[in-house]
Each structure stands twice: as C-alpha cells, then as structure tokens.
Amino acid sequence: MNQANRRNAVDKEPDLWEKILRYVRDELYLELRFLGLALSSFTYQADERLTTMATDGEKLYYSEEQLLSLFEKNPGYLNRIYLHSVLHCLFSHLWLQGDRDRYLWGIACDIAVEYTIDHMEKEGLSRILTLMRTRIYDELERGNRSVSAAGIYQYLKKQSPERIQQLHREFFADDHVFWPKQEKNTPRYPIQQSIQNKWKKLSHQTQIQKRRQSVSGDESGQLVMSQLRAERSRRSYREFLRQFMIVREEMHLDPDEFDLGFYLYGLSLYRNMPLIEPMESREIERIQDFVVVVDTSDSTSGSLVRNFLRETFHLITQQNTFFKTYRIHLIQADEKVRSDILLKSEEQMERLFQNFEIKGGGNTDFRPVFRYVDEKQKEGSFEHLCGLIYFTDGKGTYPEKSPSYRTAFLFLEDFDEKSVPPWAIRMKLEPEEFEPGQEKR
C-alpha cells in the first residue's frame, strides 16, 4: 500500500496512534497467522521519553513522533519493530536474564530476534542484510553454537568493547527500559510473575497454532518454533527440580497466622504483653540435602558436564530454593565412585569450578553410586535427603531395587525406555539448554 493510502486508512480514526498499531498488527497477522494470539496481546501507551518502541510484556510503549514517521516513510521497519518486541516476550527474554550483565543480555536477545526475523523470508519483513549481519550469522552458525540468546551471550562475552558497541548499533530495534530488573535472590513482584505466566501460555498456544497451520514447504516459522522449544525445555528443567522440594517446619514469623491489629493493641495496652502471639514457624517447601551425580564415562565427559553442573547449581540455589543451611553432594562416577565433594555455599561452588576436573572415563554402572549413597544415609550423613539426580547418557547397568529417596535420570540423547527402572523419574534434556560458560549470570 502506498504512503497516501496508508495515511487515509488511519486518519479518520479519533485515536490515530492506536489505529496505526492495530493496522501494523493486522499486517503481521496476514503474514504470520500462527502468531495471531501473541500479536494481539499488547495494550498500547504513548511515552514521549522513548525514541522507539518498548514493552514490559503487558503494554507496548511507543513514541508518537517515531510511530507516525515510520508509518509514512518506512512501514516495513515499523512491522519489524512490532514483531521484534512480540518475539522478545514469546522467547521469555524479559525474564531469563538471571544475574547476567543486563547490557550484554539485551544485545544477545536483539541478535537472536533479528536472526529469527531475517530468516523468515517474508516480503513485508525483509531488509537487505548488511555485511556485519551476514558475518555475525555465519560466525554463530559456523561455531556450532546455539543461535539463541543464551548462546549469543557467551559469544559476546569474548568480544571487545568496540565490537560490542558495533553490534548494539547494528541490531538495536526496541528499547529494553521496561524489562524487569532482576537482582540476585530477589523475588519477582506478583504482577511480573503473572505477565510471565501469560506469555508462557501464549508460547504454548503459538506452538499448537503453528502445528495446526503447518503447510508443506513453509519454513517461515521454524526458527520461531525452535526458539520456543529451547525456552520451554529450560523452563521445564526448573519445574522438574521443584519435584525434589520437601516440606519442613522452619522458624519464621508468619504474618498470615495472626491479626496484627490485635497484636499491636495488646502491646500498647499491656506494654509487653500482646493479645495474640504470632506463629513463629511455618511449613515451607525447600531443598536441604541433594545429590547430583555425573556419569563421567567417555560419552558424557567434557565441557558439557561442566556446563550442566553450573546451570544445575544455579537453578537449585537461586531465589531461596534451599533452606538457610543446605548440602549438595557432587559425585563423579563411571563404574566406580570417583569423587564426592560436599558443597554448602555458592562461594564453594565458584571455587570448585575454577579448578574443576572430570574424574573417570570408564564404563557406566549406576549401582555403585546407589550403594554409596545408601551407606552414607545409614551413617547419618544426610538430615533430609530430598533426592538424587543422575546426569548420564543412559548406557549402563541400573539397580533393580528402588532406593528410599527420589531418583531421576537426566538424558541428553534418546534413551531406551525399557532399560530404565519404573521407579525412576526420567527426563530428556535439550543440549542447547546448557550453553557454554554460563558460570556467571
């Protein structure tokens, strides 16, 4: 549609800006019908502090001046910015920063989204690829690196400040000013969690819509789907770890168990005698004793093991997952138990990974580990053993008898379901879930 027709399509509406955005949304829907729900999930709000669009997952903020200018002069780029913000939310980029550097994480997310759009091959979204884009895409693909935000982040950490500035300018599209700030051990506000949950559902619904609308030879949405699957796999792993939480009473003031008004009234009336004593304990779900076992046979040794451990410990210890005191036993084993390292703090974990060495390399036999843990349990080494996770390729001899604690086997490749004991929890992970070098996020 030419410039005059585009302007005539909106200038009769009382709310010009929202009319433009709805028009852009509808154009994108015609190109990418499987994204229909996601494209319609924003409300719109002007913010003249901005020079481009921005989102917090709930609203799409915009500059009135830029919006009108792009609509008249560069509508294709306006469509890209809108889709760019939608994909950030679908890929959960707003909520996966963790303790990564915020600036680098934003650039990594922009590259991941632009890579996806550039490979959609849709006429209304196309743009000429610059030499810089072509080279960075080739580097990411040639390095056998996952072209996801997490993988790109690791790539950026190795680049010079000048190179990072160039990439920021090249891939900048929307502003990340409204992305929630994530500080270590600080819980999210309920509104932030509800917005994230909304996009989790939209991600799932988008995948269903894509499968229903799949047309032979249409590859436009395959990159979107691969990004969604990677994010979903990572989220599933977090949810999986929650299966090992236990309920235990911990001394803690529980504000839900008493009336604060009566309590303070009693203190004012009788000085030091409250009318109602607060409950000083409550039941909470936390992990306390945990065993992580790494199969160090030839097939699972190397950097992948290190990355798995870093990521697992990060997920276990973030956001007060543990009690105030906890113990993680890190066991390395092949056909024998090669080492058992007890970790009680994140500082110990960091020191461990600075000089971490894989021990083993023989065949796989799971039974020695279970005998070892059973003996430790009888000796009283565990106060509350919540469970055992065994990271393996699955090619080994399993114990026949079910242990007294929860056990899960995590596989990075297809495994023989019949060989895994029925009492064991099993989960297949995606290799891209453990990107290289996520030790400090």
Side-chain angles (χ1 to χ4, degrees):
M1 185 179 291
N2 61 38
Q3 178 179 330
N5 289 338
R6 291 179 64 85
R7 184 60 185 263
N8 290 334
V10 300
D11 62 7
K12 296 179 181 179
E13 290 290 326
D15 192 338
L16 174 64
W17 320 110
E18 288 202 15
K19 177 63 175 178
I20 291 175
L21 290 168
R22 289 195 296 270
Y23 185 88
V24 170
R25 178 199 64 194
D26 293 344
E27 279 200 329
L28 287 170
Y29 174 71
L30 292 176
E31 291 274 6
L32 303 163
R33 292 184 181 274
F34 69 97
L35 290 177
L37 290 173
L39 292 169
S40 303
S41 295
F42 289 133
T43 56
Y44 307 123
Q45 181 173 320
D47 191 322
E48 292 310 310
R49 295 172 297 176
L50 298 172
T51 58
T52 184
M53 291 184 187
T55 185
D56 58 5
E58 183 176 30
K59 296 179 180 179
L60 187 65
Y61 301 89
Y62 60 90
S63 160
E64 292 180 352
E65 181 180 353
Q66 187 223 26
L67 186 60
L68 185 58
S69 175
L70 287 178
F71 183 71
E72 293 180 334
K73 300 176 182 178
N74 195 352
Y77 184 62
L78 181 58
N79 291 359
R80 283 185 70 108
I81 300 176
Y82 192 112
L83 179 59
H84 185 106
S85 292
V86 170
L87 292 182
H88 274 319
C89 296
L90 273 179
F91 298 160
S92 288
H93 288 163
L94 284 69
W95 306 283
L96 290 180
Q97 176 190 329
D99 54 8
R100 294 181 177 98
D101 179 86
R102 185 177 177 87
Y103 178 63
L104 285 186
W105 176 245
I107 299 173
C109 293
D110 283 338
I111 295 175
V113 168
E114 287 296 293
Y115 176 89
T116 302
I117 298 174
D118 283 336
H119 287 76
M120 282 183 170
E121 299 181 354
K122 291 292 185 181
E123 184 177 351
L125 298 169
S126 64
R127 55 163 290 169
I128 298 175
L129 289 184
T130 63
L131 182 59
M132 177 174 286
R133 288 196 178 217
T134 302
R135 285 179 174 174
I136 188 71
Y137 294 162
D138 288 344
E139 276 189 67
L140 293 171
E141 293 170 349
R142 186 171 58 249
N144 198 29
R145 185 181 288 102
S146 172
V147 188
S148 64
I152 297 169
Y153 178 82
Q154 302 310 318
Y155 170 84
L156 293 177
K157 287 174 64 178
K158 301 175 183 178
Q159 306 305 309
S160 67
E162 294 77 14
R163 173 70 166 166
I164 291 171
Q165 284 289 340
Q166 291 173 351
L167 292 172
H168 171 66
R169 289 192 295 268
E170 174 65 32
F171 290 95
F172 175 82
D174 64 346
D175 199 319
H176 303 165
V177 66
F178 296 115
W179 287 19
K181 291 181 172 59
Q182 300 173 27
E183 298 179 6
K184 192 173 183 181
N185 295 327
T186 301
R188 294 194 184 104
Y189 293 111
I191 183 62
Q192 295 174 355
Q193 191 63 56
S194 67
I195 294 172
Q196 183 182 6
N197 291 339
K198 178 189 77 171
W199 283 98
K200 285 180 183 179
K201 294 178 182 178
L202 284 169
S203 171
H204 180 63
Q205 292 167 338
T206 298
Q207 294 178 71
I208 293 174
Q209 286 296 106
K210 177 58 182 175
R211 286 194 294 269
R212 288 176 177 173
Q213 299 173 13
S214 180
V215 178
S216 178
D218 178 16
E219 301 296 327
S220 64
Q222 294 309 310
L223 273 171
V224 176
M225 294 301 102
S226 65
Q227 293 272 15
L228 292 178
R229 284 192 295 270
E231 186 277 323
R232 184 180 179 186
S233 175
R234 181 179 181 81
R235 187 173 69 243
S236 297
Y237 186 51
R238 287 196 184 97
E239 294 168 354
F240 166 82
L241 286 177
R242 295 193 186 103
Q243 296 182 52
F244 291 88
M245 289 184 178
I246 62 171
V247 177
R248 174 190 170 186
E249 190 176 79
E250 183 180 68
M251 298 304 293
H252 193 290
L253 183 65
D254 192 344
D256 297 326
E257 294 297 327
F258 75 106
D259 189 317
L260 184 60
F262 280 108
Y263 182 74
L264 295 176
Y265 175 71
L267 290 177
S268 64
L269 184 62
Y270 302 109
R271 294 189 178 180
N272 62 349
M273 183 182 296
L275 292 178
I276 300 175
E277 286 287 350
M279 297 290 291
E280 293 183 344
S281 65
R282 62 179 177 180
E283 286 189 336
I284 56 176
E285 288 188 298
R286 295 289 185 267
I287 300 169
Q288 188 173 25
D289 289 305
F290 206 79
V291 176
V292 177
V293 187
V294 176
D295 173 7
T296 56
S297 62
D298 288 335
S299 57
T300 55
S301 60
S303 61
L304 185 61
V305 171
R306 296 183 181 88
N307 297 332
F308 160 78
L309 293 174
R310 293 182 192 278
E311 184 66 8
T312 300
F313 290 154
H314 174 78
L315 293 176
I316 289 176
T317 56
Q318 70 179 350
Q319 296 182 350
N320 299 320
T321 307
F322 273 88
F323 286 107
K324 293 178 181 178
T325 59
Y326 62 83
R327 294 176 291 273
I328 304 175
H329 284 261
L330 169 59
I331 297 176
Q332 296 189 55
D334 41 29
E335 76 274 10
K336 298 179 181 179
V337 174
R338 300 294 181 178
S339 69
D340 178 7
I341 302 174
L342 181 61
L343 302 170
K344 298 181 179 180
S345 67
E346 292 188 65
E347 290 75 17
Q348 289 180 341
M349 295 176 194
E350 287 300 321
R351 288 197 297 270
L352 167 68
F353 287 127
Q354 289 175 4
N355 301 291
F356 184 72
E357 295 182 2
I358 299 294
K359 299 179 180 179
N363 297 321
T364 301
D365 188 339
F366 304 116
R367 295 171 297 181
V369 167
F370 289 92
R371 288 196 292 266
Y372 176 81
V373 172
D374 289 342
E375 291 172 2
K376 285 287 184 181
Q377 196 171 27
K378 291 177 182 177
E379 294 170 3
S381 298
F382 304 113
E383 181 178 348
H384 293 281
L385 179 55
C386 308
L388 179 149
I389 282 185
Y390 214 127
F391 177 71
T392 178
D393 61 358
K395 300 171 183 176
T397 306
Y398 294 87
E400 296 181 0
K401 184 180 178 182
S402 171
S404 60
Y405 41 86
R406 293 189 189 188
T407 300
F409 290 92
L410 306 186
F411 307 96
L412 278 173
E413 55 188 57
D414 293 332
F415 59 95
D416 183 6
E417 281 278 0
K418 296 180 180 178
S419 66
V420 183
W423 45 262
I425 302 170
R426 72 286 306 271
M427 181 180 184
K428 183 178 180 295
L429 303 175
E430 298 297 329
E432 59 264 30
E433 196 168 327
F434 306 107
E435 301 297 343
Q438 290 189 19
E439 66 274 12
K440 192 72 175 173
R441 297 188 312 171

